[in-house]
Amino acid sequence: MTLPLLTAQNDRFLDLEKQILAAQPAIEHWLRGKWGEHDAPFYASVDLRNSGFKLAPVDTNLFPGGFNNLNPDFLPLCIQAAMIALEKVCPDARGLLLIPENHTRNAHYLQNVAVLQKIIRHAGMKARIGTLIPEVQSPTEMELPDGGKLLLEPLVRKGNRIGVEGFDPCAVLLNNDLSAGIPAILEGLEQPVIPPLYAGWSTRLKSQHFAAYDGVAQEFAAMLGIDPWLINPYFATCGEINFQERQGEECLAMHVDMILAQIRRKYAEHKIDLEPFVIVKADAGTYGMGIMTVKDAAEVRDLNRKQRNKMAVVKEGLQVTRAMVQEGVYTFERADDAFAEPVVYMIDHYVVGGFYRVHTGRGRDENLNAPGMQFVSLAFEDTCLQPQFDSSGDCAPNRFYLYGVIARLALLAASLEIEQLAQLHDPALMQQPRKVAGA
Amino acid sequence: MTLPLLTAQNDRFLDLEKQILAAQPAIEHWLRGKWGEHDAPFYASVDLRNSGFKLAPVDTNLFPGGFNNLNPDFLPLCIQAAMIALEKVCPDARGLLLIPENHTRNAHYLQNVAVLQKIIRHAGMKARIGTLIPEVQSPTEMELPDGGKLLLEPLVRKGNRIGVEGFDPCAVLLNNDLSAGIPAILEGLEQPVIPPLYAGWSTRLKSQHFAAYDGVAQEFAAMLGIDPWLINPYFATCGEINFQERQGEECLAMHVDMILAQIRRKYAEHKIDLEPFVIVKADAGTYGMGIMTVKDAAEVRDLNRKQRNKMAVVKEGLQVTRAMVQEGVYTFERADDAFAEPVVYMIDHYVVGGFYRVHTGRGRDENLNAPGMQFVSLAFEDTCLQPQFDSSGDCAPNRFYLYGVIARLALLAASLEIEQLAQLHDPALMQQPRKVAGA
């Protein structure tokens, strides 16, 4: 499947592509150095937007679902990367407890959990699924869309160890983003929990991620001699938001104005004839909830009750108290008649696959992570690992190599972000002298 | 492509397969521990023979050619593993010098070098090819079977650094097994050489490899509760051999007798109704030269002049002065009308692909590594990483997982072997107290 770029923006994108391809050894060398200094998260997925003149991450998920949407040809790559990741996490471990989201009615999500379990098992670990769902009181088999079954088991905590009946794992792998807060049963465990609890949405903030990404993008762009804006969306945040009580609205409007002005200047500088827009979204949270496209500050002053309610809560009733205003990046990629955005999957610091998120009902300036979205998996020859040095022009493997590079920049930002969170939240680090982020 | 096992031996093999599959988490855990203690070679290929009742490595190549015979779908796996290997070898390096064999007339070998170069480049390193061929005095483009070109450049040594014109690499990757001895230009380099020079055939001995494998197979078999013989061929060695002067013939005949008797006992114990045979081969050397199938000690006493000449030298005129007598393992795998043996490729300690070596002109009790051999690449779904736990019976993915396990045991043996060689040959280790192998 080929996804043609709209030709108007194509030339500029090919310039960026050429610069990144030409610098491949330098980029990989730079990344190798970074991974020598920072631990990559166990896994992550990054949503990218490609506007033809700009390629930027817009969301980095540290508890990625959607492994079932990867082309099955990618599985060996996932398994090999998982072997590497597991060697680091717990070289002595034979058993991993996987704790998924509580979505028992989302069969596609359950299929994702089954694929993750398969990857871990093939990487040579026992893997069982412990669920936080209070109704699951005994091992329960769930039907999967592919005809298989998934066994969910109730969590059993004994002292400071967690497991399921007859299974005392050496580590816990979270595939639950903790939007509902950190469950008491997971606190104070002696087993390592990966990602750490403080990487969940009850503590993590998108703005901290993009602040870390700012630094990464600056350094990367300086190395390449490019304008960092080409890979980095502007953003700003407002704390103390309460959409229902119209609190913080002025802060939001001011930042919308500011970001729109910044984009307008950049569009003029780069001679881009498009209307700037921003995305307003919850600073904590996921699932594409609490997200709106805004082209004028007046829009956030005049939210009607329905819009305010929509923005006020995200997944699992998590209240929105902080909002982020982020430069909107048009997507100029299409699959058939629908707009598409690439999603890149990584395990440890290796790109292991990806797909396009496609939405027939949404525009190029809208969030595509919404009900009705579909997934178009990348074919194996399109893996992000094999750019074609000798080919000229618009070719899918080159574009996917680029996507893999930008996704790894976001991954590196996530590493830095988790290091900062660890300074604030990890009891093991509490004794050490530390610097509060932002201080 | 499915390669059916002959049914007579099938049941026994399925028993071994089931035991190994059932123990997968324990096996991978054990291997993880080993790779924590020992460094894997940069790359290796292992020739296996599967007789239906027995699955054993018969040759471990530390300078593998044949990457061009891997299914191209395996490339991303190779690239990812090469990234891991290169991070260890030289995290700061941007450039690797690849030194190939001197076979300029073997276009398929050149294609292998081109694939290796591609893997290294995609892993994010500059890679250029420095040749030992004295006739190559300036950069020379070679035509490849796939229509591409390969640039061979003359080696340039400055002080204790080696490179090619305008390229000062941080490390040297050998794809030359040094059968002709260690060239002076490669001695005393300050850059790391991988594999180390002493892993070449001018110092390495097959018998040392199989002595190391003995220990690995014993420990592995004890863990699984199986007879180690099921994965380990008997062997013995004779030093002071001179085939042309008929020196050492008695030693050889004695060991042939001994090994045949050992096999006969095992065949009786396991109720195997086949005629035992041994392979006599040079203890150092490669390329399937200097190898013969022997079913009676009388055969090595009555070598005619032609046979003696054939056994006396291997590749590049390397004289055979030591011979190994190894239990012959029948191959019961077939591709169409020809007998086949699997070859498994690894980079670092990861299985990255494999193929079948097939020879229409050779029998199931003969060496298949001979002119006229062909290669049948494994399809991607058949990668050794994905056994099917839930499937019963004879299924290709399970067989390939098994192949990957046994190949990694041979790889571990190679690690131990290289550690022993380092004790003897590495100047950096000379100062340390050491134990001479065998002392």
Side-chain angles (χ1 to χ4, degrees):
Chain A
M1 160 132 223
T2 309
L3 295 159
L5 287 173
L6 296 197
T7 47
Q9 320 298 335
N10 213 353
D11 289 351
R12 295 163 193 262
F13 186 72
L14 289 181
D15 284 346
L16 181 61
E17 181 175 297
K18 274 182 199 148
Q19 277 175 292
I20 288 186
L21 283 177
Q24 197 207 2
I27 292 170
E28 297 296 334
H29 176 253
W30 181 82
L31 282 169
R32 268 199 299 282
K34 293 296 179 192
W35 298 126
E37 293 162 19
H38 306 284
D39 291 330
F42 182 82
Y43 51 13
S45 68
V46 174
D47 294 357
L48 299 172
R49 300 274 288 202
N50 179 357
S51 70
F53 52 89
K54 177 165 187 158
L55 173 63
V58 294
D59 198 16
T60 301
N61 189 345
L62 295 177
F63 305 89
F67 276 93
N68 54 314
N69 295 323
L70 299 182
N71 190 318
D73 283 348
F74 284 123
L75 265 185
L77 215 49
C78 294
I79 293 165
Q80 187 176 278
M83 289 172 102
I84 298 159
L86 292 169
E87 278 170 18
K88 292 183 193 169
V89 171
C90 36
D92 284 338
R94 297 169 193 236
L96 198 68
L97 180 70
L98 183 58
I99 301 185
E101 300 282 351
N102 291 358
H103 312 142
T104 48
R105 269 176 285 178
N106 183 338
H108 293 288
Y109 176 74
L110 293 176
Q111 189 77 62
N112 160 68
V113 176
V115 172
L116 271 174
Q117 185 179 35
K118 184 176 177 182
I119 290 169
I120 296 160
R121 284 184 171 173
H122 287 164
M125 301 277 264
K126 287 175 189 156
R128 282 164 72 175
I129 320 245
T131 180
L132 290 162
I133 302 171
E135 289 74 28
V136 177
Q137 300 274 345
S138 60
T140 305
E141 249 181 12
M142 310 295 292
E143 304 275 340
L144 296 175
D146 74 352
K149 287 180 163 57
L150 185 73
L151 187 68
L152 300 184
E153 301 181 69
L155 289 171
V156 176
R157 179 156 174 164
K158 287 177 186 159
N160 286 334
R161 295 191 71 81
I162 200 162
V164 293
E165 187 61 38
F167 184 64
D168 180 30
C170 293
V172 176
L173 178 63
L174 288 180
N175 196 247
N176 183 313
D177 65 21
L178 308 177
S179 284
I182 297 176
I185 196 170
L186 297 183
E187 287 195 66
L189 292 176
E190 64 179 60
Q191 292 133 311
V193 177
I194 46 175
L197 294 171
Y198 47 79
W201 282 126
S202 60
T203 37
R204 193 179 169 221
L205 293 173
K206 290 194 178 88
S207 54
Q208 279 177 357
H209 176 71
F210 283 98
Y213 183 76
D214 239 1
V216 171
Q218 294 282 354
E219 190 181 333
F220 180 82
M223 174 176 66
L224 256 62
I226 61 170
D227 182 347
W229 175 74
L230 294 176
I231 56 166
N232 191 10
Y234 288 122
F235 77 98
T237 44
C238 289
E240 309 291 321
I241 291 276
N242 187 324
F243 278 99
Q244 268 149 342
E245 296 180 8
R246 307 190 67 157
Q247 190 182 313
E249 223 173 65
E250 263 318 304
C251 171
L252 218 49
M254 190 190 79
H255 281 119
V256 167
D257 254 348
M258 182 188 79
I259 300 282
L260 285 172
Q262 287 175 316
I263 305 171
R264 215 168 280 124
R265 271 198 300 279
K266 278 292 175 186
Y267 278 13
E269 180 190 326
H270 289 271
K271 300 190 177 51
I272 291 154
D273 186 24
L274 286 168
E275 187 182 5
F277 72 100
V278 299
I279 297 287
V280 177
K281 52 186 168 187
D283 201 1
T286 181
Y287 276 69
M289 295 167 84
I291 295 186
M292 62 187 287
T293 296
V294 175
K295 294 184 177 174
D296 189 307
E299 293 174 50
V300 297
R301 284 200 193 90
D302 299 331
L303 292 183
N304 59 32
R305 175 158 300 276
K306 192 177 155 202
Q307 288 169 315
R308 289 207 304 271
N309 287 343
K310 206 180 127 203
M311 291 299 291
V313 287
V314 288
K315 193 189 144 213
E316 302 199 0
L318 183 65
Q319 287 289 324
V320 175
T321 58
R322 295 173 57 97
M324 184 166 83
V325 180
Q326 189 177 42
E327 174 184 349
V329 181
Y330 284 94
T331 181
F332 280 101
E333 289 204 276
R334 307 186 60 137
D336 301 325
D337 281 339
F339 287 102
E341 61 188 20
V343 185
V344 176
Y345 278 67
M346 289 156 293
I347 294 179
D348 201 281
H349 59 277
Y350 303 98
V351 173
V352 295
F355 52 77
Y356 278 100
R357 181 184 290 125
V358 174
H359 203 304
T360 52
R362 296 283 178 122
R364 66 181 54 158
D365 56 357
E366 286 184 287
N367 168 39
L368 304 183
N369 187 355
M373 63 185 166
Q374 293 171 292
F375 304 100
V376 178
S377 70
L378 304 184
F380 201 82
E381 63 270 30
D382 298 336
T383 157
C384 309
L385 291 169
Q386 289 190 68
Q388 311 290 306
F389 294 103
D390 33 6
S391 79
S392 56
D394 187 16
C395 108
N398 286 352
R399 204 178 324 144
F400 297 133
Y401 174 70
L402 238 66
Y403 292 170
V405 170
I406 303 300
R408 283 181 289 165
L409 298 183
L411 186 75
L412 178 57
S415 295
L416 301 172
E417 181 198 355
I418 292 176
E419 283 172 17
Q420 287 166 3
L421 287 167
Q423 291 291 326
L424 289 168
H425 298 281
D426 192 334
L429 294 175
M430 284 296 180
Q431 275 83 296
Q432 298 172 25
R434 66 198 163 86
K435 189 165 163 271
V436 174
Chain B
M1 159 132 222
T2 309
L3 296 159
L5 287 173
L6 296 196
T7 45
Q9 320 299 334
N10 212 353
D11 289 351
R12 294 161 193 263
F13 186 72
L14 290 182
D15 284 346
L16 181 61
E17 182 174 298
K18 274 183 199 148
Q19 276 175 292
I20 288 186
L21 284 177
Q24 198 206 1
I27 292 170
E28 297 297 333
H29 176 253
W30 182 82
L31 282 168
R32 268 198 299 280
K34 294 295 178 192
W35 298 126
E37 293 162 20
H38 307 282
D39 290 331
F42 182 83
Y43 52 12
S45 68
V46 174
D47 295 357
L48 299 172
R49 300 274 287 202
N50 179 357
S51 69
F53 53 89
K54 177 165 187 160
L55 173 62
V58 295
D59 199 16
T60 301
N61 190 345
L62 295 177
F63 305 90
F67 277 93
N68 54 314
N69 295 322
L70 300 182
N71 190 320
D73 284 348
F74 284 123
L75 265 185
L77 216 48
C78 293
I79 293 165
Q80 186 175 278
M83 290 172 102
I84 297 160
L86 291 169
E87 277 169 18
K88 291 183 193 169
V89 171
C90 37
D92 284 338
R94 296 170 192 237
L96 198 68
L97 181 70
L98 183 57
I99 301 186
E101 299 283 350
N102 292 358
H103 313 142
T104 49
R105 269 176 285 178
N106 183 339
H108 293 288
Y109 176 73
L110 293 175
Q111 190 76 64
N112 160 67
V113 176
V115 172
L116 272 174
Q117 186 178 35
K118 184 176 176 181
I119 290 169
I120 295 160
R121 284 184 171 171
H122 287 165
M125 301 278 264
K126 287 176 189 156
R128 282 165 71 176
I129 321 253
T131 179
L132 290 163
I133 303 170
E135 290 74 30
V136 178
Q137 300 273 344
S138 60
T140 304
E141 249 181 14
M142 310 296 292
E143 305 275 341
L144 297 175
D146 74 352
K149 287 181 165 53
L150 185 74
L151 188 68
L152 299 184
E153 301 182 70
L155 289 171
V156 176
R157 177 155 175 166
K158 287 177 184 159
N160 286 336
R161 295 191 71 81
I162 201 162
V164 293
E165 188 60 40
F167 184 65
D168 180 30
C170 294
V172 176
L173 178 63
L174 289 180
N175 197 247
N176 183 312
D177 64 22
L178 307 178
S179 284
I182 297 175
I185 196 170
L186 298 183
E187 287 194 65
L189 293 175
E190 64 179 59
Q191 294 134 309
V193 177
I194 45 175
L197 294 171
Y198 47 79
W201 281 126
S202 59
T203 38
R204 192 180 169 222
L205 292 174
K206 289 192 178 89
S207 54
Q208 280 177 357
H209 175 71
F210 283 98
Y213 184 76
D214 240 1
V216 171
Q218 294 282 354
E219 190 180 334
F220 180 82
M223 174 176 64
L224 257 64
I226 61 170
D227 182 346
W229 176 75
L230 294 176
I231 55 167
N232 192 11
Y234 287 122
F235 77 98
T237 44
C238 290
E240 309 292 320
I241 290 276
N242 186 323
F243 278 99
Q244 270 149 342
E245 296 180 7
R246 309 192 64 159
Q247 191 183 313
E249 225 172 64
E250 264 318 305
C251 171
L252 218 50
M254 191 190 77
H255 281 118
V256 167
D257 254 348
M258 184 189 77
I259 301 282
L260 285 173
Q262 287 176 316
I263 305 171
R264 216 166 279 124
R265 271 198 301 278
K266 278 291 176 186
Y267 278 14
E269 180 189 327
H270 289 271
K271 299 190 177 53
I272 291 154
D273 186 23
L274 287 167
E275 189 183 2
F277 72 101
V278 299
I279 297 287
V280 177
K281 52 185 168 187
D283 201 2
T286 179
Y287 276 68
M289 297 167 84
I291 294 185
M292 61 187 286
T293 297
V294 176
K295 294 187 176 171
D296 189 307
E299 293 173 51
V300 297
R301 285 201 193 90
D302 300 330
L303 292 183
N304 60 32
R305 174 158 299 276
K306 193 177 155 202
Q307 287 170 316
R308 290 206 305 272
N309 287 344
K310 207 181 125 203
M311 291 300 291
V313 288
V314 288
K315 195 189 143 213
E316 301 197 0
L318 183 65
Q319 288 289 323
V320 175
T321 58
R322 296 174 56 97
M324 185 165 83
V325 180
Q326 189 177 43
E327 174 184 350
V329 181
Y330 283 94
T331 181
F332 279 102
E333 289 204 277
R334 309 185 62 136
D336 301 326
D337 281 338
F339 287 102
E341 61 188 20
V343 186
V344 176
Y345 278 68
M346 287 157 293
I347 295 181
D348 201 279
H349 60 276
Y350 303 98
V351 173
V352 295
F355 53 77
Y356 278 100
R357 181 183 289 125
V358 174
H359 204 304
T360 52
R362 296 282 178 120
R364 66 181 53 158
D365 56 358
E366 286 184 287
N367 168 38
L368 303 183
N369 187 357
M373 63 185 166
Q374 294 173 291
F375 304 100
V376 178
S377 70
L378 304 185
F380 201 81
E381 63 269 31
D382 297 335
T383 157
C384 309
L385 291 169
Q386 290 189 68
Q388 312 288 308
F389 294 102
D390 31 5
S391 80
S392 55
D394 187 16
C395 110
N398 286 352
R399 206 181 320 147
F400 297 135
Y401 174 69
L402 238 64
Y403 291 171
V405 169
I406 304 299
R408 284 183 288 165
L409 298 184
L411 185 75
L412 178 58
S415 295
L416 301 173
E417 181 198 352
I418 292 177
E419 283 173 16
Q420 287 166 3
L421 287 166
Q423 291 291 325
L424 289 168
H425 298 282
D426 192 335
L429 295 175
M430 284 298 179
Q431 275 83 296
Q432 296 174 26
R434 66 197 162 86
K435 189 165 162 267
V436 174

